[in-house]
Amino acid sequence: MRSEQDDAVRIYQTHLDEVGHAIEHGDFDGYAQHFALAHEFETVVGNVRISNPVSLRLLFDTLCGQLELHNLPTLHRVCKEASFTGPTTILGTHQTRLVRQDAIVAESFTARCVLKLRGNQWRLSRMQVNDGAKALPAVVMSHVLSRQKRRG
């Protein structure tokens, strides 16, 4: 018999797998369906609120660009814990390793995310990464914030 916690972990891991697959295949539409508009993305170098498809596209393109620049084709993402905090909210933590030919090639990072059920789709509404400035989310955030400042 499955417990609520098992269900939360399964939902969270499915979210990670589907988002990772979309990133690895450059599939923005597949990626976008997993994110609430608006959602918050927090790192040690800054925070951004993704409130429209243009902002989400900038985040996605920046992330994919950084992975391509460093020849990092695979994201290995594993749910470490997840639980329901209400019937439509899951709070979870996962570890991401950046892998090239079965070798970890960049600083791994841990993220804490909130997933919210919208209709029949679980969507990320908040992501927080407290790892250092060299971790991929912080690097991506630096580029996103820089581009936003240039746009004014």
Side-chain angles (χ1 to χ4, degrees):
M1 193 158 127
R2 282 205 308 213
S3 71
E4 268 194 13
Q5 185 170 5
D6 291 341
D7 287 342
V9 168
R10 180 185 51 77
I11 291 166
Y12 193 95
Q13 185 63 54
T14 298
H15 172 83
L16 294 174
D17 294 344
E18 291 176 358
V19 169
H21 184 264
I23 291 167
E24 290 171 7
H25 290 88
D27 176 9
F28 176 71
D29 292 333
Y31 177 84
Q33 70 182 342
H34 294 284
F35 292 84
L37 291 177
H39 74 271
E40 297 175 22
F41 185 40
E42 302 174 12
T43 72
V44 296
V45 299
N47 306 329
V48 69
R49 184 169 175 83
I50 306 295
S51 56
N52 59 57
V54 172
S55 296
L56 186 60
R57 184 68 198 219
L58 173 60
L59 179 64
F60 177 78
D61 289 347
T62 303
L63 173 58
C64 290
Q66 285 298 305
L67 293 171
E68 186 176 322
L69 177 69
H70 298 288
N71 190 25
L72 298 168
T74 305
L75 298 172
H76 183 254
R77 297 161 30 116
V78 176
C79 176
K80 295 297 185 184
E81 61 182 337
S83 59
F84 286 96
T85 61
T88 61
T89 306
I90 295 173
L91 176 61
T93 302
H94 68 275
Q95 179 82 31
T96 299
R97 289 182 172 83
L98 304 165
V99 179
R100 184 183 320 128
Q101 297 175 347
D102 296 328
I104 298 171
V105 294
E107 184 176 332
S108 66
F109 62 89
T110 300
R112 186 170 179 91
C113 296
V114 175
L115 302 182
K116 297 267 188 181
L117 184 61
R118 301 285 189 247
N120 64 352
Q121 177 76 39
W122 288 95
R123 298 177 188 265
L124 185 137
S125 67
R126 183 180 190 137
M127 179 173 175
Q128 182 180 27
V129 180
N130 293 324
D131 291 355
K134 291 183 181 181
L136 179 65
V139 171
V140 168
M141 182 59 64
S142 292
H143 287 282
V144 167
L145 291 171
S146 175
R147 287 181 184 170
Q148 285 181 338
K149 285 180 186 174
R150 286 194 301 256
R151 288 182 178 173

